[in-house]
Amino acid sequence: MMTTNLFTILVFSIVSALMGLFLLRIAIRGKLISPNPHCRKCKFDLAGLNLADPTPCPECGTILRTNTPAITTGLRKIRKLALLASILFLLTAATGFAWPKLSTLPSIQNINIYNHFPEPLLTKLATTGDTNALQTLHDRLIPGDVTDQALQKLITHAFTLQADESVPWDKRWGDVIVYAMYVDLLDSETIGKIAEDSMEQYMVAHERIGPDSDMLLYQIKGRETRGVGNRQFRLSLYDGHETHWDLDIRIFGAITDDSKINRYGSMGTGLNYWYPFQSIGAMTTNAPIPVGKDHIVFRIPIEYVLSENGEERHRWSVELRHEVVRLGSEPEYIEVETNQAVGSDVIEGLFISELMVPTDVVEMAKHNSIKSTTFLFATIENPIAEDLSLMGTIHYRIDDQEIAGQSIIAFLDSQYCLGIGPQYSGGESGWLKPYIDQIEFWERAVQRGKIDVVYRPDPSLAEMNPGHKKILGIPFIFKDVPVKGLIPEQVSTNRAGVEGMEWRYINRFSNPAPPKTGAEALDE
């Protein structure tokens, strides 16, 4: 969008400059007010004088003669209006050419001319696609500075846009809808209808299974649909109102015609003030596969209950269906990308952060409530959005010694956290066991201050991970990844008025932070 705006400004500036130069030429050339010969010096009209022989100018005394520079034919007067217009065009062009720099100045950025527009004009502009006008009105919603008349027009247009899938959805229109809901401009029936249109769950599972498969792992996911607003707007609006809207999504276990499976599952019971009630979470579970069947149809009932301040307002249900075919041999559950050209580009875009390793783990394992303020053991991130996943195992290497780590199953368009999640409250110290089992290796890694991290693909993991379509089938390595030892500290606590002491691993962030380590293909 910014690139488009700058291009438009550049084109407009060029046109303004050309127009300004054209008008400047016309202005300087001027308007012909006399066709007679004139003295170039004093502009005296020489009509009627014999200029064949040298003749002094009657006005200034300059010696005049025909066909010499002292005489000019015709007298012109500068066109003042054209000159003024050319100056305006040239100033406009200069401003346009300088705009990329000027627009970064705080004094320019803070100017919002839309704040001075009358509300009817803002409403008209917003409903015809002006995003600046929409933002100005959007900022006035929560303070209540939009009149009912303008709000009704905005609501009507928001519903029109929601129904028109050819137009990209702007979440600010979703905020208009949720605001209308909280200020009681929509009745329960309308809200319920919008909720049904906005809510969408879908099932992710394999469609082909092997001859011995007896369990189907599946995920129920939710996706954002047209009508969704901004989460922060919902939170801000929710804090200022007594009305609370809740949506309880009840997802039941998979049912087949040959079984009475109906294990109850639930997700999203805490989706307060979410509108239009979308869920982007996921529930992962499994269902037994009937024996002796080559074609199985799973049905998953989902029930939605919409409540206002605890009182049910609307209820509806849907049923997801998923067909599974049993093959005579084990299917290929996932596509493996082994093209070196593709793989090299992806691997070059991978980075890993510093590894944080707990120390004194044997002693700390004696404390069942040992915690950590460190979310991450390390993160792998990829700024290049690719339709690929990492699926395999992570190994750690120091010189010729290598130990197996955990499995990694991650989409390449997001960060992935390595290691074992630390406990935050209560719980046991079992998360330290992998470090204890390989204590000599990790002590050596901390002492050395660096380590190699190796990824090896394993397509067999795809059987229990149906949400991935293609994996990177090329092993790679992060060389000399920085390692930091986490030292346990005893800290005071105060829970429910009871003071105590507990041990924690606290991450003292490096300053400056160590650089991220890039990956390279592993030749094995």
Side-chain angles (χ1 to χ4, degrees), residues 372-393:
S372 173
T373 58
T374 304
F375 277 106
L376 314 174
F377 179 49
T379 59
I380 292 179
E381 56 187 270
N382 174 37
I384 304 174
E386 292 284 348
D387 187 23
L388 284 174
S389 299
L390 297 181
M391 185 174 292
T393 54

Short mmCIF file of all heavy atoms in Angstrom, two decimals, residues 372-393:
data_model
loop_
_atom_site.label_atom_id
_atom_site.label_comp_id
_atom_site.label_asym_id
_atom_site.label_seq_id
_atom_site.Cartn_x
_atom_site.Cartn_y
_atom_site.Cartn_z
N SER A 372 11.24 -22.44 36.07
CA SER A 372 12.13 -21.66 35.24
C SER A 372 11.38 -20.46 34.70
O SER A 372 10.20 -20.55 34.37
CB SER A 372 12.67 -22.48 34.06
OG SER A 372 13.41 -21.66 33.19
N THR A 373 12.04 -19.32 34.67
CA THR A 373 11.44 -18.15 34.03
C THR A 373 11.81 -18.09 32.56
O THR A 373 11.59 -17.09 31.90
CB THR A 373 11.93 -16.86 34.72
OG1 THR A 373 13.35 -16.80 34.64
CG2 THR A 373 11.50 -16.83 36.17
N THR A 374 12.39 -19.15 32.08
CA THR A 374 12.82 -19.20 30.68
C THR A 374 11.82 -20.02 29.87
O THR A 374 11.63 -21.20 30.13
CB THR A 374 14.21 -19.84 30.56
OG1 THR A 374 15.11 -19.11 31.37
CG2 THR A 374 14.69 -19.83 29.13
N PHE A 375 11.17 -19.39 28.92
CA PHE A 375 10.23 -20.10 28.07
C PHE A 375 10.95 -21.07 27.15
O PHE A 375 10.45 -22.13 26.83
CB PHE A 375 9.44 -19.10 27.20
CG PHE A 375 8.27 -18.51 27.90
CD1 PHE A 375 8.30 -17.20 28.33
CD2 PHE A 375 7.14 -19.25 28.13
CE1 PHE A 375 7.22 -16.64 28.97
CE2 PHE A 375 6.04 -18.71 28.77
CZ PHE A 375 6.09 -17.38 29.20
N LEU A 376 12.12 -20.69 26.71
CA LEU A 376 12.71 -21.37 25.57
C LEU A 376 14.02 -22.05 25.92
O LEU A 376 14.83 -21.52 26.68
CB LEU A 376 12.97 -20.37 24.43
CG LEU A 376 11.84 -19.41 24.11
CD1 LEU A 376 12.30 -18.40 23.09
CD2 LEU A 376 10.64 -20.17 23.62
N PHE A 377 14.19 -23.19 25.33
CA PHE A 377 15.52 -23.80 25.33
C PHE A 377 16.29 -23.25 24.14
O PHE A 377 17.47 -22.98 24.20
CB PHE A 377 15.35 -25.32 25.24
CG PHE A 377 16.64 -26.09 25.21
CD1 PHE A 377 17.64 -25.84 26.13
CD2 PHE A 377 16.85 -27.05 24.25
CE1 PHE A 377 18.82 -26.56 26.09
CE2 PHE A 377 18.03 -27.77 24.21
CZ PHE A 377 19.02 -27.52 25.14
N ALA A 378 15.61 -23.07 23.06
CA ALA A 378 16.13 -22.38 21.87
C ALA A 378 14.96 -22.24 20.91
O ALA A 378 13.96 -22.94 21.03
CB ALA A 378 17.27 -23.14 21.21
N THR A 379 15.06 -21.35 19.96
CA THR A 379 14.02 -21.22 18.95
C THR A 379 14.63 -21.31 17.57
O THR A 379 15.74 -20.83 17.33
CB THR A 379 13.28 -19.88 19.05
OG1 THR A 379 14.22 -18.81 18.89
CG2 THR A 379 12.58 -19.73 20.38
N ILE A 380 13.90 -21.98 16.69
CA ILE A 380 14.24 -21.98 15.27
C ILE A 380 13.22 -21.09 14.58
O ILE A 380 12.03 -21.22 14.79
CB ILE A 380 14.19 -23.40 14.68
CG1 ILE A 380 15.33 -24.26 15.26
CG2 ILE A 380 14.32 -23.36 13.16
CD1 ILE A 380 15.34 -25.68 14.75
N GLU A 381 13.70 -20.17 13.78
CA GLU A 381 12.77 -19.28 13.09
C GLU A 381 13.15 -19.16 11.63
O GLU A 381 14.29 -19.37 11.23
CB GLU A 381 12.77 -17.90 13.74
CG GLU A 381 14.13 -17.25 13.83
CD GLU A 381 14.07 -15.97 14.63
OE1 GLU A 381 13.83 -14.93 14.01
OE2 GLU A 381 14.26 -16.01 15.86
N ASN A 382 12.14 -18.87 10.83
CA ASN A 382 12.32 -18.78 9.39
C ASN A 382 11.54 -17.58 8.87
O ASN A 382 10.32 -17.60 8.85
CB ASN A 382 11.82 -20.07 8.71
CG ASN A 382 11.87 -19.95 7.20
OD1 ASN A 382 12.80 -19.36 6.67
ND2 ASN A 382 10.89 -20.50 6.53
N PRO A 383 12.22 -16.50 8.46
CA PRO A 383 11.51 -15.33 7.96
C PRO A 383 10.92 -15.52 6.57
O PRO A 383 10.16 -14.69 6.10
CB PRO A 383 12.59 -14.24 7.95
CG PRO A 383 13.87 -15.00 7.76
CD PRO A 383 13.68 -16.31 8.47
N ILE A 384 11.28 -16.61 5.91
CA ILE A 384 10.76 -16.88 4.57
C ILE A 384 9.53 -17.77 4.70
O ILE A 384 9.62 -18.89 5.18
CB ILE A 384 11.81 -17.58 3.69
CG1 ILE A 384 13.10 -16.75 3.63
CG2 ILE A 384 11.27 -17.83 2.29
CD1 ILE A 384 14.23 -17.43 2.91
N ALA A 385 8.37 -17.27 4.31
CA ALA A 385 7.15 -18.07 4.39
C ALA A 385 7.16 -19.12 3.29
O ALA A 385 7.10 -18.80 2.11
CB ALA A 385 5.93 -17.17 4.27
N GLU A 386 7.25 -20.37 3.66
CA GLU A 386 7.26 -21.46 2.70
C GLU A 386 6.18 -22.47 3.07
O GLU A 386 5.86 -22.65 4.25
CB GLU A 386 8.63 -22.16 2.70
CG GLU A 386 9.78 -21.31 2.15
CD GLU A 386 9.74 -21.22 0.63
OE1 GLU A 386 8.98 -21.98 0.01
OE2 GLU A 386 10.47 -20.38 0.09
N ASP A 387 5.63 -23.12 2.07
CA ASP A 387 4.62 -24.15 2.31
C ASP A 387 5.31 -25.48 2.61
O ASP A 387 5.10 -26.48 1.94
CB ASP A 387 3.71 -24.27 1.09
CG ASP A 387 2.53 -25.21 1.35
OD1 ASP A 387 2.20 -25.38 2.54
OD2 ASP A 387 1.97 -25.73 0.39
N LEU A 388 6.15 -25.45 3.61
CA LEU A 388 6.92 -26.62 4.01
C LEU A 388 6.90 -26.74 5.53
O LEU A 388 6.62 -25.78 6.24
CB LEU A 388 8.38 -26.52 3.55
CG LEU A 388 8.70 -26.76 2.08
CD1 LEU A 388 10.17 -26.45 1.81
CD2 LEU A 388 8.39 -28.19 1.68
N SER A 389 7.19 -27.95 6.01
CA SER A 389 7.30 -28.19 7.44
C SER A 389 8.63 -28.86 7.74
O SER A 389 9.23 -29.49 6.87
CB SER A 389 6.16 -29.09 7.93
OG SER A 389 4.90 -28.50 7.70
N LEU A 390 9.07 -28.70 8.97
CA LEU A 390 10.17 -29.51 9.49
C LEU A 390 9.54 -30.69 10.23
O LEU A 390 8.67 -30.50 11.08
CB LEU A 390 11.05 -28.70 10.45
CG LEU A 390 11.79 -27.50 9.87
CD1 LEU A 390 12.62 -26.83 10.95
CD2 LEU A 390 12.68 -27.91 8.71
N MET A 391 9.96 -31.89 9.90
CA MET A 391 9.44 -33.07 10.57
C MET A 391 10.57 -34.09 10.65
O MET A 391 11.02 -34.62 9.64
CB MET A 391 8.24 -33.65 9.79
CG MET A 391 7.57 -34.82 10.49
SD MET A 391 6.06 -35.36 9.61
CE MET A 391 4.98 -33.96 9.87
N GLY A 392 11.05 -34.30 11.84
CA GLY A 392 12.18 -35.20 12.00
C GLY A 392 12.68 -35.16 13.43
O GLY A 392 11.91 -34.97 14.37
N THR A 393 13.97 -35.35 13.61
CA THR A 393 14.56 -35.36 14.94
C THR A 393 15.71 -34.36 15.01
O THR A 393 16.38 -34.09 14.02
CB THR A 393 15.09 -36.76 15.31
OG1 THR A 393 15.98 -37.21 14.27
CG2 THR A 393 13.95 -37.75 15.45
#
